[in-house]
Amino acid sequence: MTAPVFFVLTDRGEALARRLQPALPGSAVHGKKDRTHAPDVPFTDAGAHLRDLFQAGAPIVAVAAAGIVIRLLAPVLTDKREEPPVLALAEDGSAVVPLLGGHRGGNKLARDLAAVLGVPASVTTAGDVGLGFALDDPPAGWAVGNPDAAKAVAAALLAGKPVALIDDAGCDLDWLQAGGAAFADDPTVRPAVRVTAAACPTEADVFVLHPKVLTLGVGCERNCDPAELAALARAALADAGLAEKSVACVASLDLKSDERAVLDLAADLGVPARFFDAARLETETPRLANPSDVVFAEVGCHGVAEGAALAVAGAEASLTVPKRKSERATAAVARADAPVDPMTAGLPRGRLSIVGIGPGDSAWRTPEATAMLRAATDVVGYGLYLDLLGGLIDGKRRHMSELSEEEARVRRSLELAAEGRDVALVSSGDAGIYAMAALAFELLDRENDPAWNRLDIAVTPGISAVQAAAARIGAPLGHDFALISLSDLLTPWAVIEKRIEAASAGDFVVAFYNPVSQRRRTQLQAAKEILLRHRPAGTPVVLARNLGRDGERVDVIALTDLAVDMVDMLALVLIGASQTRRAERGARTWVYTPRGYAAKMDKN
């Protein structure tokens, strides 16, 4: 299930959502703009936003009246088997009502939130009320083989009619019997519940539960065809008569944590992928059916597929399917006596998300950036930028450093991700414009660290200061433009000066980043003098400061009036081209750079 979203319409609802947010790790607060204080994601059209969330499959916790939620979602209600959980919460925390998706996690979600609030969950689903559980929404470690058979079995149990319980797996079934459900001893009675790790034919009156007691260990050559590994793994399960839905995870050597074939197989089976270093897999050698000196010489352990399967399954597990080989891949299956929690063994593939959060206003943060931050276990960044994220990163591990410690921040991000964490490296504006993304790839290229090279790395764009400034004042970037940093800390001033001269001669609109600092006071004046040699003294200059934050200010002056004391490190200086225009219309001042449409119209 993806991370839940709190959907709030008022400040009071937002306060309740923030109170409950720690109970739902990774959740975000979406709030009605102008009616909430500081939501992680603001919206204007409540109905459209709620329907978008629902159709995207997001679990929704709406701090709103149940009737409002149902009316807003009514146009998109279709197949109950596909709908995400939707809950309604009273603003005073007195009621938690699962409205939709009760058997897709909604009832559990309601109980979890109700426990925090100290109130009973208003669960109305018949199975949950009468039996204490939902057959088609089993606890972690279990999967449903044929959900369509659940209704008949639940109805029989609720009516007190005999239902057989056929246990072929030997697992603890306390959760299934704790609610007082009466099961018949006669396995021929129908309907029935079958508990099995085996693949079995579908019967309309036999509901199948698969305990996740199998672990699938795999190995492969570099760049193995994903189809080859998938075919080998599925054949290993099928030939042993084992159910794919009883697989708890796919496991392998950490050298394979970026191998597409391994990752695709885990995704296809809907299970996590876990990875072990060679030293850990070598400890499994006494239990291997096919130890290999050749494998040891190559990777440092005597078996990858068998060792990884056993490492996840646990000390009491045994190999059910010894290593099988294809031309470029291996697979093995281990079986445990109880459902396996794969999160307790090995490590996931580490992930580094390099996130641009825009100027600071949550309305200017992209949904992709919000999703990456919501998913992260760790966030790394300059303290001010992390503070701008508010409750979105509550409960996550924060790693802060000073503004000037860029390389230390990036290095720390890569190291944390190499430990198997999901790390978000935060930049203001766009992470790829004078920010962290370039440095991250520079370090990857420079150091060529194998652990870093295997990471899942993604960059998400943000609204850069130049875009924000341009939007606030009109359209000064309507034609060609150049971005230049005036900081000579990393780039010699002589190089910067040449770039300013070239941009000036080319008649580009020019945006200056890092225009001044406490110690750097001459570069902006020098840049102004270069520009004045190529464009009129009255050329519009936009000074934009604290965009999207408290104290935002946008001013327009003439190039000849630009002075160093007008600017600081929180400002962006945007200087028009020779064709850039300042227009006073109504009570507003606009700045724009025409592309030549007037001339085109004249020709027509």
Side-chain angles (χ1 to χ4, degrees):
M1 188 166 69
T2 57
V5 170
F6 287 95
F7 175 86
V8 300
L9 301 174
T10 65
D11 282 337
R12 190 180 184 193
E14 183 181 9
L16 178 62
R18 292 299 185 198
R19 177 184 165 192
L20 295 172
Q21 211 172 0
L24 303 181
S27 60
V29 176
H30 293 214
K32 187 95 165 61
K33 194 172 183 179
D34 301 328
R35 294 185 62 189
T36 53
H37 175 62
D40 301 321
V41 177
F43 58 81
T44 53
D45 187 326
H49 191 74
L50 188 65
R51 289 187 288 273
D52 285 346
L53 290 172
F54 182 82
Q55 291 178 305
I60 299 167
V61 181
V63 188
I68 291 175
V69 178
I70 292 297
R71 282 195 295 273
L72 292 178
L73 288 178
V76 293
L77 297 182
T78 54
D79 186 350
K80 73 174 187 177
R81 293 171 296 182
E82 300 298 328
E83 64 196 18
V86 178
L87 280 63
L89 268 65
E91 280 193 347
D92 62 359
S94 62
V96 184
V97 185
L99 302 175
L100 300 168
H103 286 183
R104 290 175 56 81
N107 292 343
K108 182 182 183 303
L109 198 58
R111 291 192 177 99
D112 290 345
L113 294 179
V116 176
L117 294 169
V119 299
S122 302
V123 176
T124 58
T125 310
D128 292 69
V129 173
L131 302 174
F133 62 87
L135 277 175
D136 53 358
D137 185 22
W142 295 80
V144 174
N146 53 343
D148 289 342
K151 187 174 181 180
V153 173
L157 287 170
L158 289 169
K161 296 179 180 179
V163 173
L165 178 57
I166 307 166
D167 182 10
D168 298 335
C171 296
D172 185 347
L173 299 178
D174 282 353
W175 69 272
L176 195 59
Q177 298 169 310
F183 290 98
D185 293 331
D186 183 354
T188 64
V189 169
R190 293 295 180 270
V193 174
R194 180 184 295 277
V195 179
T196 183
C200 55
T202 299
E203 299 178 57
D205 53 0
V206 179
F207 178 72
V208 178
L209 284 168
H210 293 299
K212 288 188 169 290
V213 293
L214 306 178
T215 55
L216 178 59
V218 297
C220 62
E221 295 180 13
R222 177 57 71 184
N223 297 321
C224 172
D225 184 351
E228 178 182 343
L229 179 59
L232 176 67
R234 287 196 156 97
L237 292 165
D239 291 350
L242 298 173
E244 291 185 9
K245 289 190 176 181
S246 276
V247 174
C249 78
V250 171
S252 190
L253 182 68
D254 59 2
L255 296 178
K256 301 301 175 185
S257 61
D258 64 338
E259 192 67 58
R260 181 50 50 197
V262 177
L263 299 171
D264 284 359
L265 176 60
D268 288 346
L269 292 173
V271 298
R274 306 294 286 187
F275 301 95
F276 298 85
D277 61 28
R280 172 64 183 88
L281 294 187
E282 180 61 11
T283 66
E284 299 292 343
T285 300
R287 297 203 286 166
L288 302 183
N290 300 283
S292 169
D293 291 334
V294 173
V295 174
F296 179 80
E298 186 172 342
V299 299
C301 62
H302 279 83
V304 172
E306 292 182 349
L310 289 165
V312 180
E316 303 302 318
S318 59
L319 281 174
T320 298
V321 181
K323 180 174 70 175
R324 296 179 54 147
K325 297 176 64 176
S326 64
E327 182 179 354
R328 304 186 68 197
T330 59
V333 181
R335 178 166 180 164
D337 293 333
V340 174
D341 180 0
M343 302 308 176
T344 62
L347 292 173
R349 182 189 187 192
R351 183 184 186 200
L352 175 60
S353 302
I354 307 172
V355 181
I357 63 171
D361 188 326
S362 60
W364 283 354
R365 187 170 61 240
T366 68
E368 182 181 60
T370 296
M372 287 180 167
L373 290 163
R374 189 188 305 150
T377 58
D378 297 69
V379 289
V380 182
Y382 175 49
L384 171 63
Y385 301 157
L386 299 190
D387 290 342
L388 291 172
L389 296 172
L392 182 58
I393 58 173
D394 282 352
K396 302 180 187 299
R397 290 183 287 263
R398 297 189 183 203
H399 308 268
M400 295 183 289
S401 62
E402 295 301 317
L403 186 61
S404 60
E405 297 175 349
E406 295 93 346
E407 183 164 332
R409 275 202 296 283
V410 174
R411 190 176 295 278
R412 181 62 173 149
S413 299
L414 290 163
E415 290 170 347
L416 289 168
E419 294 173 9
R421 304 192 195 188
D422 191 330
V423 181
L425 174 61
V426 175
S427 291
S428 67
D430 183 284
I433 299 177
Y434 303 120
M436 296 293 97
L439 180 53
F441 292 111
E442 181 181 342
L443 283 179
L444 281 172
D445 185 33
R446 184 200 309 166
E447 306 214 356
N448 196 23
D449 184 314
W452 292 1
N453 295 343
R454 292 193 294 268
L455 297 176
D456 178 10
I457 299 178
V459 182
T460 186
I463 294 177
S464 181
V466 68
Q467 294 171 286
R472 287 292 197 239
I473 201 62
L477 305 182
H479 213 317
D480 299 334
F481 61 93
L483 310 182
I484 300 175
S485 171
L486 293 186
S487 172
D488 57 1
L489 185 63
L490 301 175
T491 305
W493 172 247
V495 174
I496 298 172
E497 199 170 26
K498 287 181 180 178
R499 291 172 180 172
I500 299 170
E501 180 68 44
S504 300
D507 200 19
F508 288 90
V509 174
V510 180
F512 289 132
Y513 280 67
N514 308 311
V516 300
S517 69
Q518 290 183 341
R519 291 179 297 178
R520 183 166 40 80
R521 311 294 294 175
T522 61
Q523 285 86 340
L524 182 61
Q525 178 61 32
K528 170 186 171 181
E529 292 170 2
I530 294 172
L531 285 158
L532 281 171
R533 291 201 294 268
H534 295 277
R535 60 197 62 179
T539 298
V541 174
V542 178
L543 304 179
R545 189 178 188 280
N546 270 342
L547 291 163
R549 307 173 194 165
D550 291 340
E552 176 183 302
R553 179 164 180 164
V554 180
D555 296 304
V556 182
I557 62 172
L559 176 57
T560 191
D561 295 329
L562 176 62
V564 173
D565 291 341
M566 297 176 176
V567 182
D568 61 21
M569 278 295 288
L570 296 177
L572 177 123
V573 179
L574 197 158
I575 299 172
S578 63
Q579 299 302 309
T580 302
R581 298 289 180 261
R582 173 176 178 161
E584 307 283 350
R585 294 293 182 269
R588 291 293 306 272
T589 297
W590 302 105
V591 175
Y592 71 100
T593 304
R595 286 195 66 192
Y597 287 106
K600 180 179 179 181
M601 295 282 289
D602 290 343
K603 289 179 181 179
N604 292 337

